[in-house]
Amino acid sequence: MKKISFLNLGKHPITNNFLKTNKPKNEFFYNLKLIYHKETKLVSLDNFVPPKKMFNDKYAHRASASITMQEAYKNLAYKIKKKFKPKSILEIGSNDGVFIKYFSNINNVGVEPCKNLADLTSKMKIETYDKFWTFQLSNKILSKHGKFDIIYSANTISHIHNLNETFKAIENSLNSNGIFILEDPSLLKSLQKLSYDQFYDEHAYVFSITALKNITKQSGLEVFNVEELKTHGGSNRVYFKKVNNKTIKISNTVKKHLLKEKNFGMNKLQTYQIFAKKVLKSRKNLIKIFQKLKKEKKNIIGYGATYKSSTVLNFCKIDKKFIKYFLDTTPTKAGKFTPGTHIPIKKYNGIPSNVDYAFLGAWNFKDEIFKKEKKFINRGGRFITHVPSPKIL
Ligand code: TYD
């Protein structure tokens, strides 16, 4: 399979490796390089980081950390119940149970390799397997729970390296009428918004509908519906059925999305090369903003120590010189330091009155944050963003 590299983002740490000290010994770095697969149109990282280095019992991300996401999962659970009336549901990457908890009245099973998270849902009496999703695991779950009406996976399939096995295992676990629902960041949106920070160790892939269609064929799955979501800066919710299931009609949304991607040039290498050039320019302009504000002796902090921001900070070499500290609402991140750039993270307790600028690490929650930080904005505080181009908001 022909793979062509189109962007080298340099050396990067494990995004989830929030450090206990600002002088870590032997911090792990890998080369973050992006690849275009000519035949399947899939976009991936060149070097995959060993999964156990990323997904372990210290995993920091809590899906329920944001009100926006809590609401989104609650609404989706309601929609699935109403539309599909499932009697069984499996979630791959069940995190802290933010979604699967709504299905406690049916056969609900979680798969979550990060033990600290799996323990949370086990305590909620949701049968949770603290294992990586593999064909072997799908057989193990099958023998106990049978096949499923719905398999749901949000922000997880893009993390799994072996996609062939992943999709085959999903097909294996679905009822003949079963539906697989995948949610992951949209490659089209990343290209349009120049959000190159969608690429980091965990995101082995950023999917287009085109690539998903191409790579699932051989596993016996077929896309039948696509919904655009605002979450994670622009995601797709993609519905799959078994190829042999002719009772479910293919919605027009599939054709529409494929056409939109084609028109954007997503089937051409050149589009990715242009993206790469724009990313280099974006870095230059973001650094300029920080340098100018530093010269003016402004007090700059970071807002939301996201995984995404790790790519920006490390790629642009924005560290403690520019950002004094990050504020973040996730309890396990507080008191630690950002990976690679070693910026202290403080527990969020409002933005202190001496802060002039805040870099929006969590730009995907801009609306929620702007609503919450009216006081900061009204007293002249400003946010800095790099999406879709570096600027002060
Ligand atoms: P997330 O959106 O999951 O992004 P990523 O996958 O790139 O890590 O993470 C959001 C982070 O931002 C999370 O650590 C919580 C934090 N956050 C705040 O600190 N304040 C806020 O108001 C919001 C919405 C998020």
Side-chain angles (χ1 to χ4, degrees), residues 61 306-308 328-330 333 364-365 368-369 372:
H61 175 79
T306 55
Y307 293 172
K308 286 190 288 295
D328 197 289
T329 49
T330 309
K333 291 182 188 174
N364 47 315
F365 292 114
E368 181 177 334
I369 293 169
K372 198 159 79 181

Side-chain angles (χ1 to χ4, degrees), residues 61-78 80-81 89 91-104 108-112 117-122 124 126 128 152-156 183 231-232 365:
H61 175 79
R62 296 281 182 282
S64 57
S66 120
I67 298 164
T68 313
M69 292 311 289
Q70 281 181 32
E71 283 298 311
Y73 287 119
K74 190 177 166 185
N75 292 339
L76 176 65
Y78 177 76
I80 288 178
K81 280 186 195 178
I89 185 162
E91 185 178 10
I92 305 170
S94 47
N95 200 274
D96 58 5
V98 67
F99 170 77
I100 194 82
K101 69 179 179 191
Y102 292 109
F103 295 89
S104 51
N108 64 344
V109 178
V111 171
E112 177 49 67
L117 299 173
D119 285 350
L120 294 177
T121 45
S122 292
M124 291 154 80
I126 299 164
T128 312
Y152 176 70
S153 189
N155 304 303
T156 301
E183 254 177 66
T231 48
H232 287 283
F365 292 114

Side-chain angles (χ1 to χ4, degrees), residues 55 91-95 111-113 133 152-161 163 166 182-185 202-203 207:
F55 309 111
E91 185 178 10
I92 305 170
S94 47
N95 200 274
V111 171
E112 177 49 67
W133 177 249
Y152 176 70
S153 189
N155 304 303
T156 301
I157 302 300
S158 61
H159 298 43
I160 309 180
H161 301 166
L163 291 179
T166 299
L182 168 153
E183 254 177 66
D184 266 306
E202 293 185 11
H203 286 182
F207 292 128

Side-chain angles (χ1 to χ4, degrees), residues 1-272:
M1 201 161 59
K2 194 148 186 233
K3 303 189 293 183
I4 304 155
S5 164
F6 63 91
L7 178 60
N8 188 347
L9 293 162
K11 295 269 175 242
H12 286 258
I14 302 285
T15 46
N16 181 38
N17 190 18
F18 292 94
L19 305 158
K20 288 200 178 117
T21 158
N22 60 353
K23 290 191 184 66
K25 282 186 199 138
N26 308 322
E27 192 176 4
F28 175 87
F29 285 88
Y30 70 100
N31 196 10
L32 179 53
K33 232 167 133 182
L34 311 187
I35 295 284
Y36 173 67
H37 299 245
K38 216 173 161 203
E39 282 160 40
T40 58
K41 320 297 175 204
L42 187 64
V43 168
S44 74
L45 304 193
D46 190 17
N47 303 305
F48 291 150
V49 171
K52 281 189 183 148
K53 275 196 185 291
M54 302 181 280
F55 309 111
N56 47 47
D57 60 359
K58 291 182 187 60
Y59 197 70
H61 175 79
R62 296 281 182 282
S64 57
S66 120
I67 298 164
T68 313
M69 292 311 289
Q70 281 181 32
E71 283 298 311
Y73 287 119
K74 190 177 166 185
N75 292 339
L76 176 65
Y78 177 76
K79 183 170 150 177
I80 288 178
K81 280 186 195 178
K82 205 171 152 202
K83 199 162 176 190
F84 301 113
K85 301 183 178 55
K87 292 194 177 65
S88 56
I89 185 162
L90 170 74
E91 185 178 10
I92 305 170
S94 47
N95 200 274
D96 58 5
V98 67
F99 170 77
I100 194 82
K101 69 179 179 191
Y102 292 109
F103 295 89
S104 51
N105 57 335
I106 61 170
N107 180 12
N108 64 344
V109 178
V111 171
E112 177 49 67
C114 304
K115 195 166 179 327
N116 56 331
L117 299 173
D119 285 350
L120 294 177
T121 45
S122 292
K123 272 189 204 139
M124 291 154 80
K125 303 254 177 318
I126 299 164
E127 179 124 13
T128 312
Y129 291 79
D130 58 353
K131 299 263 181 298
F132 287 103
W133 177 249
T134 58
F135 203 85
Q136 199 184 3
L137 180 66
S138 80
N139 275 335
K140 186 175 169 189
I141 295 175
L142 257 179
S143 63
K144 183 160 179 203
H145 302 272
K147 299 206 178 213
F148 291 88
D149 291 338
I150 302 274
I151 299 182
Y152 176 70
S153 189
N155 304 303
T156 301
I157 302 300
S158 61
H159 298 43
I160 309 180
H161 301 166
N162 189 341
L163 291 179
N164 272 343
E165 177 175 353
T166 299
F167 289 120
K168 280 192 176 131
I170 288 168
E171 201 274 343
N172 183 43
S173 305
L174 271 184
N175 274 327
S176 51
N177 268 323
I179 288 163
F180 167 50
I181 307 168
L182 168 153
E183 254 177 66
D184 266 306
S186 149
L187 181 60
L188 177 63
K189 284 284 179 305
S190 304
L191 298 179
Q192 285 173 332
K193 292 188 177 180
L194 214 62
S195 55
Y196 59 90
D197 50 349
Q198 285 296 6
F199 294 97
Y200 54 87
D201 54 347
E202 293 185 11
H203 286 182
Y205 306 93
V206 177
F207 292 128
S208 60
I209 305 303
T210 309
L212 279 173
K213 186 172 182 279
N214 290 340
I215 59 175
T216 51
K217 240 187 276 170
Q218 68 212 68
S219 310
L221 293 171
E222 187 173 21
V223 179
F224 73 88
N225 191 17
V226 180
E227 287 168 5
E228 273 182 55
L229 308 174
K230 287 207 169 117
T231 48
H232 287 283
S235 299
N236 286 317
R237 180 178 293 146
V238 190
Y239 294 75
F240 296 83
K241 65 174 185 70
K242 291 200 177 195
V243 173
N244 297 336
N245 179 353
K246 304 290 177 205
T247 55
I248 298 176
K249 272 212 203 126
I250 313 262
S251 150
N252 280 340
T253 55
V254 181
K255 226 191 220 169
K256 211 180 88 195
H257 276 84
L258 292 174
L259 190 65
K260 211 156 98 180
E261 292 185 352
K262 189 169 170 232
N263 289 342
F264 192 80
M266 285 172 75
N267 299 344
K268 283 189 246 157
L269 172 66
Q270 199 196 10
T271 304
Y272 301 93

